[in-house]
Amino acid sequence: MKPIQVGLLGIGTVGSGTFEVLRRNQEEIQRRAGRPIQISMVADLDTERARKVVGNAAEVVDDARKVIAN
């Protein structure tokens, strides 16, 4: 089944909290939605900080338009 792809715009306080909540609750989200969830892309001007937060769990870009286009 095709996953629900999620893109985050910003990975500061709110964005990193959202990232962690989505990762931590993946199984419950899948159970309720009937499909897995995948955080596929994160946009932040500070790409170095973003990579520290998401690791290699998602692609990190510096332009929010890339997330929207994806």
Side-chain angles (χ1 to χ4, degrees), residues 6 8 11 15-30 37-40 42 50-58:
V6 175
L8 296 176
I11 198 75
S16 62
T18 301
F19 178 80
E20 289 303 320
V21 167
L22 290 174
R23 274 188 25 168
R24 186 174 47 241
N25 295 304
Q26 282 183 334
E27 290 180 19
E28 181 64 17
I29 293 168
Q30 180 174 349
I37 187 169
Q38 175 187 8
I39 303 166
S40 57
V42 172
R51 283 188 184 93
K52 288 179 184 175
V53 174
V54 303
N56 52 356

Side-chain angles (χ1 to χ4, degrees), residues 9 41 63-70:
L9 304 179
M41 192 176 285
D63 186 353
R65 292 175 288 200
K66 292 178 183 177
V67 175
I68 294 166
N70 188 31

